[in-house]
Amino acid sequence: MAMKTNSNALYEALLKQIIDLTLYPGMRLSENAVSKMYNVSRSVVRGAFARLVECNFLEVYPQRGTYVSRVNLNYIRKALFIRAAVEKEILRSFMIDSTSKDDILEKMAQNLKEQRKFVGEKQYVDKFRVLDEQFHNYILIGGGSEDILHLLDRHLLHIARWRNIYVRSGVYLAILVDQHESIVDAIQRNDLEGALEATSVHINTVHGLEINDPEFQDYFE
């Protein structure tokens, strides 16, 4: 697989595979194998690995090797708590003070129409992920805080990997779409408390993850 001999490009390629579970939690990664697969030098691989270690997506064990980190559900719960707190505060501002609510609601409705095309999917496919992120961004834009989630970038990457496992564990995307619709319905009714509650239910879905499924049990710490 040829690519630019650049550790940033390799980092992005490996990160995507870790998040979409192509490189699954607990999987061993070899510098030599990655070097040959991507036709890059080992120094490039080491640079990419170092960034992934810094972001807690890889773990290095002396004399044992480098492994894709397992998912820490306690960390995910905390990350989701932070995200829920941020989004709920922005949603509150959006519903009380926004002058562009009608325009934002129209865009969210169109977004939901596109989301419904994926209700039968059993995986958190890239096209739906983009729609999911866009849906939440509309609220941030309406609250004048579209850049705020960049402060949570590292947390959001770990949440994205966990959500892939969550969907593959048997939660159809239809459930996520229904949760999005509940948020929009509450906003349309000007029901602030209902919108905040629907947002909490949607973001904090980690509590519904069945981690005893043998297919995914080894993915977690």
Side-chain angles (χ1 to χ4, degrees), residues 197-211:
E197 175 61 22
T199 299
S200 288
V201 168
H202 174 59
I203 293 178
N204 289 303
T205 44
V206 68
H207 301 296
L209 179 60
E210 178 55 66
I211 62 173

Side-chain angles (χ1 to χ4, degrees), residues 171-193:
V171 179
Y172 287 97
L173 293 184
I175 293 177
L176 303 183
V177 176
D178 287 346
Q179 291 171 350
H180 287 158
E181 288 181 337
S182 296
I183 296 171
V184 171
D185 288 345
I187 295 173
Q188 290 173 331
R189 298 194 310 270
N190 289 316
D191 178 2
L192 176 58
E193 292 307 314

Side-chain angles (χ1 to χ4, degrees), residues 8-218:
N8 289 331
L10 181 59
Y11 162 79
E12 294 291 345
L14 294 175
L15 177 63
K16 182 180 185 302
Q17 291 184 76
I18 290 171
I19 290 174
D20 70 18
L21 306 177
T22 301
L23 302 178
Y24 54 86
M27 181 178 180
R28 188 176 187 275
L29 292 185
S30 158
E31 278 189 16
N32 283 334
V34 173
S35 175
K36 291 177 182 177
M37 179 179 296
Y38 287 92
N39 192 27
V40 296
S41 69
R42 290 186 62 181
S43 64
V44 168
V45 175
R46 282 193 291 271
F49 276 16
R51 289 187 63 187
L52 290 165
V53 168
E54 183 181 358
C55 294
N56 298 317
F57 281 111
L58 289 185
E59 294 179 326
V60 179
Y61 298 96
Q63 283 79 53
R64 287 177 53 196
T66 300
Y67 293 80
V68 178
S69 65
R70 287 183 165 84
V71 177
N72 183 325
L73 275 180
N74 188 46
Y75 173 87
I76 297 298
R77 288 189 180 96
K78 291 175 181 177
L80 287 168
F81 175 82
I82 294 170
R83 176 168 180 173
V86 169
E87 285 206 30
K88 287 168 67 176
E89 190 57 38
I90 293 169
L91 179 60
R92 185 188 302 276
S93 174
F94 166 62
M95 291 187 66
I96 294 174
D97 301 322
S98 178
T99 59
S100 59
K101 187 186 296 183
D102 290 342
D103 180 56
I104 295 295
L105 276 171
E106 184 177 342
K107 291 178 179 178
M108 292 173 78
Q110 181 60 38
N111 178 281
L112 278 171
K113 183 178 179 181
E114 293 299 313
Q115 287 187 37
R116 291 189 192 101
K117 297 177 181 178
F118 298 90
V119 295
E121 286 284 349
K122 296 182 180 180
Q123 296 190 31
Y124 192 59
V125 294
D126 284 345
K127 289 183 179 179
F128 185 86
R129 178 185 56 78
V130 171
L131 289 169
D132 191 359
E133 293 174 355
Q134 185 183 60
F135 178 88
H136 289 274
N137 283 339
Y138 284 138
I139 295 175
L140 301 179
I141 291 169
S145 303
E146 56 266 39
D147 295 330
I148 199 166
L149 285 186
H150 289 310
L151 300 176
L152 306 176
D153 274 349
R154 184 176 298 185
H155 300 315
L156 297 179
L157 290 171
H158 284 275
I159 290 172
R161 180 169 69 145
W162 161 75
R163 196 173 290 279
N164 268 312
I165 301 171
Y166 176 69
V167 172
R168 291 187 189 190
S169 71
V171 179
Y172 287 97
L173 293 184
I175 293 177
L176 303 183
V177 176
D178 287 346
Q179 291 171 350
H180 287 158
E181 288 181 337
S182 296
I183 296 171
V184 171
D185 288 345
I187 295 173
Q188 290 173 331
R189 298 194 310 270
N190 289 316
D191 178 2
L192 176 58
E193 292 307 314
L196 295 176
E197 175 61 22
T199 299
S200 288
V201 168
H202 174 59
I203 293 178
N204 289 303
T205 44
V206 68
H207 301 296
L209 179 60
E210 178 55 66
I211 62 173
N212 293 322
D213 186 328
E215 183 177 354
F216 303 104
Q217 192 170 354
D218 290 340

